[in-house]
Amino acid sequence: MGSEIKPPASGILTSPDRLHKIDQLREKNIDVILPLPTLVAVGDQSSGKSSLLESVTGIPFPRGQELCTRYATQITHRRDPKVQMIITIIPAPQSTEAEKATLRSYRKELSSTSELRDQFAKILDEVNVYMKIKTDKNPEGERTFSRDILKIEKCGPTEDYLTVIDVPGIFRLTSKGQTTESDRSLVRDMVTGFIKDKRTISLAVLPANVDVMTQEILALAEKYDPDGERTLGVLTKPDLVIERSAKEAVCNLVAGRKKALNLGYYLVKNRGGDDDDDSEDDSGLRRKERDLFQQSPWCNLPQERVGVAALRERLQDLLGEITDKAYPELRSEARKKLAEARDQQDALGPPRQTEREQQQYLAQIAAKFQRIVRAAIEANYSTHSVFDKHSVRLITHVVSVMDRFNNRMRQKGHTYSFLKVKTEDSDDESANKADESEEDDDPDYDAEQNDADELEVFRRTFPELESIINIVNEPEFTVKQDNSDWIRNMYLESRSIELGTFSPIVLASAFRDQTTKWSLMTEYYISDIILRIHMFILSILKTICADGKLYEAIKSIIMDDLLARYANGMDFAKFLVQVEREKKPYTVNHYFSSNLQKARGDRISEALKGKRIHDNRCHPQGTYVVKFDQVKTAITNKSNQEHAQEDIHDILKSYYKVSRKRFVDNVWLYAVDHHLLSGPNSPLTLFSEQWVLGLDEDSLNAIAGESRSTRDKRKELTKKIADLEEALRILK
């Protein structure tokens, strides 16, 4: 804690209008949402709090009664042309609406302090009934302490604005038949509820005739205000301090030499139990206080630190200071909290008690889902913050999978490698390079292995897909390097009566053997796409649904149809494999004849390569020529079987390229794009406004009907928004 005492303020008060607005906010329980500038008197039981408040405010609390200590009492002085005393009850925030209405209905208007003095005891008895405080006069009461607040407003043309709240004194021990452990905890919670707020100045009321170090309230204040910035010590009962050492200890506190607080200590004399001076101006009591403080050692203390008048002036200054500091912050905080509350209310969606409300609510969610789906398919990732997560950038993942599928099919899709005929002097060198790259190692293979590990994790996360997808580990596809024996055996085992040709059955059988891996390879990559689509759908649903119940309800109802649509996509991919492999090989694609002609030309070129010679006489240097008569015999030295095998190889190789490219394109176009992405029966189009319109009343209620917790949350937010809107209206 600080070691210096801050001097009192200049006495220039904040605008009374601002102080009045703070009280208006407190009446509407806005302090539950926003910490308000507050002066609160706290202390242990029998510390003299109530007497202090009576001395500072002039409110004549009844003699011998402890009633006001059963609940907080807010005393407000307000300048007004009309002299009057207004007594009301501020309901606790936890009260029901019916209880609040009953408590707010209590109101007493009196014309003077003397009238209040005459009726105060009766008024407190009435308040106990309203607050359900159990007393001898109200044995039907239900509680010993209440969180409701008794508000006493003193108005008049000479009143200076001041608001102080007195809370029940904390106590360590319970009294049998009077207080319980729960009462003790309740009072402590009430006290800490006030002093923990950053805009509360705590008036720690401490009897001067006891060691302040034993007062629990000072330790509690220090816990929530460790630097002593918001705690002002008020020492009472100095007339009961007898010993010189005790008086010296009190003087050390007031002078700031011991247990210093930044706001310092004040010394006051309250009305004692034997005082019977009931004059309205309390001139007799003030005279007694003046006489006491003229005695040693009190007369040596700074005069601005002793006496009720000095304390009251300081409290007015403090209230003005904290109000001026907090006022602009309150408006800013109210706007921020109002925006947050409205966002939370928007997240709950509109009320949905009736079938129409439920249908509209669910249709709005479905429309939002479809907007995100369209953005995901178009890679328009700037439209929604959900795409900040890379995992939901759907079309990017799908295209990447298709690229890997195409590369895998090109490099590893065939069972046997095709023979490469080297044509070093061919003009079409780029074609040679392309042909040789068919079986190159995949540079992205390591990345694919990482993706495979990730997919395995995803697969375990979504066990509902087990019967559809086929992802355990990506198969290790290998290509057999020598196909000459395979083609020769295929030819020999399928020969019939042919004359310089071979049976078409041989080509069909060879193609089926060469495409054995297509089925498993296709299932693996289509499974990858299905898994990513499923993850996307559930992730987006979870994002746009207001609560977990709604998400689980939608997920549960659409799941069977989702799985059926995934299965349709997978089945169609398998169908494409079956058609490509089982049908008789055929194509009208000119690329087939171009490849075949090139393959045959390459063989002739290879056969003539040993017969070429340089002819620098008639041709540019470096040009090869072949004699015409040697061309005729270049390929005549092969048997019918060798010619047939070469033809089978070249035709199969040419057709395989065309078929593979056609197949990959068809998988994308029909299985992926049409069945799984954008077709009318794709999984992504399932949860839509049309689907919502087809739900019956029971299904609608099961999905979109509000749970009790949602209804309670909506009610709470509606009230909070109304309170904050009212707060901003007051703070204008």
Side-chain angles (χ1 to χ4, degrees):
M1 293 191 176
S3 59
E4 296 182 1
I5 299 176
K6 291 186 177 180
S10 62
I12 299 176
L13 299 181
T14 187
S15 164
D17 181 60
R18 284 188 174 183
L19 296 169
H20 181 55
K21 287 180 176 181
I22 297 300
D23 277 345
Q24 286 181 295
L25 295 176
R26 189 174 287 109
E27 287 177 12
K28 297 182 179 299
N29 290 130
I30 302 299
D31 55 334
V32 176
I33 307 172
L34 299 172
L36 299 178
T38 304
L39 297 179
V40 57
V42 294
D44 293 10
Q45 276 191 346
S46 303
S47 61
K49 278 191 307 83
S50 297
S51 297
L52 173 67
L53 265 293
E54 180 178 351
S55 299
V56 171
T57 64
I59 300 298
F61 291 101
R63 295 285 146 191
Q65 295 206 32
E66 295 289 339
L67 299 177
C68 289
T69 60
R70 300 300 181 183
Y71 39 79
T73 304
Q74 175 184 323
I75 303 172
T76 296
H77 294 257
R78 179 164 56 86
R79 185 163 296 182
D80 191 87
K82 183 179 180 181
V83 177
Q84 60 177 340
M85 310 284 289
I86 303 172
I87 302 175
T88 55
I89 300 174
I90 302 175
Q94 301 88 344
S95 303
T96 65
E97 291 303 316
E99 290 172 338
K100 289 179 181 179
T102 300
L103 292 167
R104 285 175 180 147
S105 68
Y106 184 82
R107 182 181 178 89
K108 286 286 184 180
E109 294 187 12
L110 306 172
S111 60
S112 65
T113 304
S114 60
E115 187 177 0
L116 175 63
R117 180 182 293 110
D118 295 338
Q119 298 189 32
F120 209 175
K122 178 183 177 184
I123 289 172
L124 294 178
D125 288 337
E126 294 172 351
V127 168
N128 287 332
V129 173
Y130 273 78
M131 292 188 184
K132 300 180 181 178
I133 299 293
K134 186 175 182 179
T135 65
D136 292 340
K137 295 182 179 180
N138 184 38
E140 293 81 15
E142 301 173 357
R143 55 181 70 101
T144 306
F145 293 91
S146 173
R147 292 184 182 272
D148 303 320
I149 299 175
L150 175 65
K151 181 181 179 183
I152 304 173
E153 194 170 10
K154 187 178 182 182
C155 308
T158 61
E159 293 292 336
D160 288 326
Y161 211 105
L162 178 65
T163 294
V164 183
I165 297 176
D166 177 30
V167 294
I170 59 176
F171 54 93
R172 298 182 181 85
L173 303 176
T174 60
S175 301
K176 187 174 182 180
Q178 295 182 5
T179 56
T180 64
E181 186 62 30
S182 62
D183 293 331
R184 192 180 74 85
S185 298
L186 173 62
V187 171
R188 190 179 182 87
D189 289 345
M190 290 170 63
V191 173
T192 56
F194 278 103
I195 66 176
K196 70 180 181 181
D197 287 339
K198 62 182 180 180
R199 298 190 178 106
T200 294
I201 298 293
S202 301
L203 311 182
V205 182
L206 308 161
N209 61 327
V210 300
D211 185 357
V212 297
M213 302 301 293
T214 66
Q215 295 293 287
E216 185 177 0
I217 192 60
L218 201 59
L220 193 61
E222 186 174 2
K223 176 181 178 181
Y224 293 100
D225 179 29
D227 295 327
E229 297 284 349
R230 300 186 293 104
T231 304
L232 184 147
V234 181
L235 299 169
T236 62
K237 307 180 182 180
D239 50 318
L240 300 182
V241 182
I242 306 301
E243 297 179 0
R244 178 179 300 177
S245 59
K247 291 181 179 180
E248 183 179 353
V250 172
C251 291
N252 286 337
L253 288 172
V254 177
R257 293 189 291 267
K258 180 181 178 183
K259 195 70 176 177
L261 298 171
N262 282 355
L263 297 180
Y265 286 86
Y266 281 74
L267 185 65
V268 299
K269 180 185 183 305
N270 299 332
R271 183 195 299 269
D274 297 330
D275 292 325
D276 57 1
D277 188 349
D278 289 336
S279 62
E280 281 194 33
D281 60 5
D282 288 330
S283 58
L285 292 175
R286 300 286 69 82
R287 185 169 55 253
K288 290 182 179 181
E289 183 186 55
R290 216 167 29 248
D291 292 342
L292 175 66
F293 291 147
Q294 288 176 354
Q295 300 173 17
S296 179
W298 316 127
C299 61
N300 298 319
L301 294 173
Q303 292 304 298
E304 67 273 12
R305 289 278 166 180
V306 296
V308 171
L311 175 62
R312 179 184 172 89
E313 182 178 348
R314 181 59 175 140
L315 295 182
Q316 289 174 321
D317 288 344
L318 280 175
L319 185 59
E321 288 172 14
I322 61 176
T323 299
D324 283 340
K325 180 180 178 181
Y327 202 80
E329 297 175 354
L330 285 172
R331 284 184 292 192
S332 175
E333 289 181 18
R335 292 190 190 98
K336 181 180 179 181
K337 289 183 179 292
L338 179 59
E340 291 173 353
R342 284 172 173 167
D343 288 343
Q344 292 175 15
Q345 189 182 56
D346 290 342
L348 293 179
R352 45 191 191 275
Q353 299 299 318
T354 67
E355 180 180 358
R356 181 174 177 80
E357 288 175 341
Q358 293 166 358
Q359 194 174 68
Q360 289 177 337
Y361 172 68
L362 204 54
Q364 289 175 359
I365 294 177
K368 185 174 183 180
F369 177 83
Q370 287 301 320
R371 286 195 297 272
I372 296 177
V373 166
R374 285 192 295 272
I377 292 178
E378 295 168 1
N380 190 4
Y381 299 139
S382 63
T383 59
H384 200 285
S385 60
V386 69
F387 294 118
D388 292 344
K389 292 173 58 179
H390 185 72
S391 61
V392 295
R393 297 189 172 192
L394 179 62
I395 199 64
T396 300
H397 285 295
V398 171
V399 169
S400 297
V401 173
M402 286 303 301
D403 282 345
R404 293 199 300 272
F405 175 53
N406 182 47
N407 291 336
R408 211 54 153 173
M409 286 287 291
R410 176 173 58 83
Q411 295 162 348
K412 303 290 185 179
H414 41 289
T415 305
Y416 297 93
S417 62
F418 291 104
L419 297 177
K420 298 187 179 86
V421 179
K422 295 184 179 180
T423 55
E424 297 176 359
D425 302 311
S426 172
D427 292 335
D428 193 4
E429 293 184 8
S430 62
N432 285 332
K433 291 179 181 178
D435 183 62
E436 291 174 1
S437 68
E438 290 290 299
E439 298 173 16
D440 289 347
D441 290 336
D442 187 355
D444 296 327
Y445 182 71
D446 290 338
E448 285 196 44
Q449 287 299 107
N450 293 334
D451 287 338
D453 295 338
E454 183 184 55
L455 289 177
E456 176 61 18
V457 174
F458 291 160
R459 182 188 67 82
R460 291 195 297 267
T461 305
F462 305 113
E464 61 269 20
L465 298 177
E466 287 285 354
S467 62
I468 300 172
I469 65 175
N470 184 15
I471 292 180
V472 178
N473 282 308
E474 183 182 11
E476 179 59 38
F477 296 112
T478 58
V479 177
K480 299 177 182 179
Q481 295 301 314
D482 185 7
N483 70 357
S484 56
D485 291 341
W486 163 63
I487 290 180
R488 181 174 61 253
N489 293 336
M490 180 77 65
Y491 171 72
L492 293 175
E493 292 172 0
S494 304
R495 295 176 67 182
S496 63
I497 301 175
E498 300 117 1
L499 190 60
T501 61
F502 56 86
S503 171
I505 302 300
V506 175
L507 189 62
S509 298
F511 183 75
R512 280 195 297 273
D513 282 356
Q514 189 71 325
T515 58
T516 301
K517 294 182 285 186
W518 281 21
S519 178
L520 189 58
M521 195 174 286
T522 301
E523 285 184 37
Y524 179 84
Y525 285 98
I526 293 298
S527 295
D528 188 340
I529 291 173
I530 289 174
L531 193 54
R532 294 186 185 277
I533 291 174
H534 191 60
M535 185 170 61
F536 169 83
I537 290 174
L538 298 187
S539 179
I540 300 304
L541 274 179
K542 185 172 290 187
T543 298
I544 64 177
C545 288
D547 55 56
K549 172 185 175 295
L550 178 63
Y551 163 73
E552 291 294 340
I554 295 175
K555 173 184 170 183
S556 175
I557 290 184
I558 69 173
M559 185 56 69
D560 287 344
D561 288 339
L562 269 183
L563 297 180
R565 295 188 180 200
Y566 295 145
N568 287 341
M570 178 63 80
D571 290 345
F572 199 85
K574 293 177 180 178
F575 169 74
L576 291 175
V577 175
Q578 180 183 1
V579 168
E580 203 67 54
R581 295 189 66 231
E582 302 300 328
K583 294 293 183 180
K584 185 179 295 185
Y586 182 74
T587 182
V588 294
N589 191 326
H590 74 281
Y591 184 62
F592 166 72
S593 67
S594 297
N595 280 339
L596 182 57
Q597 291 169 21
K598 178 181 178 302
R600 288 171 173 171
D602 288 344
R603 287 189 182 277
I604 295 174
S605 176
E606 176 69 14
L608 292 172
K609 188 162 54 176
K611 302 178 184 296
R612 63 188 178 179
I613 61 175
H614 288 284
D615 184 0
N616 297 326
R617 293 172 299 171
C618 302
H619 299 85
Q621 187 174 0
T623 301
Y624 292 99
V625 296
V626 178
K627 293 181 180 181
F628 183 75
D629 59 347
Q630 290 179 328
V631 173
K632 294 189 294 182
T633 61
I635 55 174
T636 57
N637 59 345
K638 295 182 180 180
S639 66
N640 287 341
Q641 179 178 329
E642 289 175 324
H643 275 291
Q645 288 179 213
E646 288 179 353
D647 277 351
I648 292 172
H649 175 276
D650 293 344
I651 293 172
L652 178 62
K653 180 178 180 181
S654 300
Y655 179 73
Y656 179 87
K657 288 183 179 180
V658 172
S659 176
R660 188 201 73 224
K661 294 177 180 179
R662 175 179 65 198
F663 172 70
V664 172
D665 282 344
N666 285 341
V667 167
W668 160 255
L669 186 62
Y670 298 109
V672 177
D673 189 26
H674 181 75
H675 277 83
L676 294 175
L677 291 179
S678 60
N681 293 316
S682 83
L684 294 171
T685 62
L686 175 59
F687 182 54
S688 63
E689 293 173 270
Q690 291 75 17
W691 179 82
V692 173
L693 294 175
L695 293 173
D696 57 37
E697 183 177 355
D698 291 339
S699 297
L700 266 176
N701 187 58
I703 298 174
E706 287 188 328
S707 64
R708 182 182 297 276
S709 61
T710 302
R711 288 196 300 270
D712 292 344
K713 183 67 173 178
R714 186 186 302 281
K715 184 178 179 181
E716 175 188 333
L717 286 171
T718 300
K719 182 182 183 306
K720 185 175 183 179
I721 289 171
D723 288 344
L724 286 167
E725 288 174 340
E726 178 65 11
L728 286 172
R729 185 193 66 77
I730 292 172
L731 291 169
K732 280 185 179 179

